Amino acid sequence: MIQKGDKMRQKRFQRRKFCRFCADKAAFIDYKDIKTLRNYITERGKILSRKMTGACSAHQRELTVAIQRARNIARLPFMER
């Protein structure tokens, strides 16, 4: 019989996130590829964290630089309303 405390101790299986850029063997992340970059920012214009996206640390840094470059040349908005 499962008691109340036992149910809380059980862990759910969670699929491990993987880096899409490593899986695709992307040479670099292009700041001109707006479709890809939009997946990594929120509706408010904030950059999503590694925890949320599943990107590895090297690609997350590249992603951040690419988003900032796209914002500076007005391809991506700094903030959406």
Side-chain angles (χ1 to χ4, degrees), residues 19 73 75:
C19 179
I73 61 168
R75 285 189 168 254

Side-chain angles (χ1 to χ4, degrees), residues 31-77:
Y31 68 92
K32 293 174 261 178
D33 187 11
I34 301 305
K35 278 186 180 177
T36 305
L37 296 180
R38 282 211 183 259
N39 295 330
Y40 294 96
I41 59 172
T42 63
E43 304 86 42
R44 306 285 307 259
K46 293 182 177 183
I47 300 172
L48 290 172
S49 66
R50 271 183 65 204
K51 220 181 223 184
M52 300 285 288
T53 61
C56 66
S57 58
H59 284 120
Q60 182 68 28
R61 285 192 295 271
E62 278 186 48
L63 191 63
T64 302
V65 171
I67 290 171
Q68 289 171 351
R69 283 183 181 161
R71 283 177 175 167
N72 284 332
I73 61 168
R75 285 189 168 254
L76 279 177

Side-chain angles (χ1 to χ4, degrees), residues 1-12:
M1 185 171 190
I2 298 175
Q3 294 188 358
K4 192 174 184 179
D6 293 335
K7 212 173 199 182
M8 295 179 99
R9 285 188 209 121
Q10 290 178 346
K11 286 191 174 183
R12 288 188 216 152

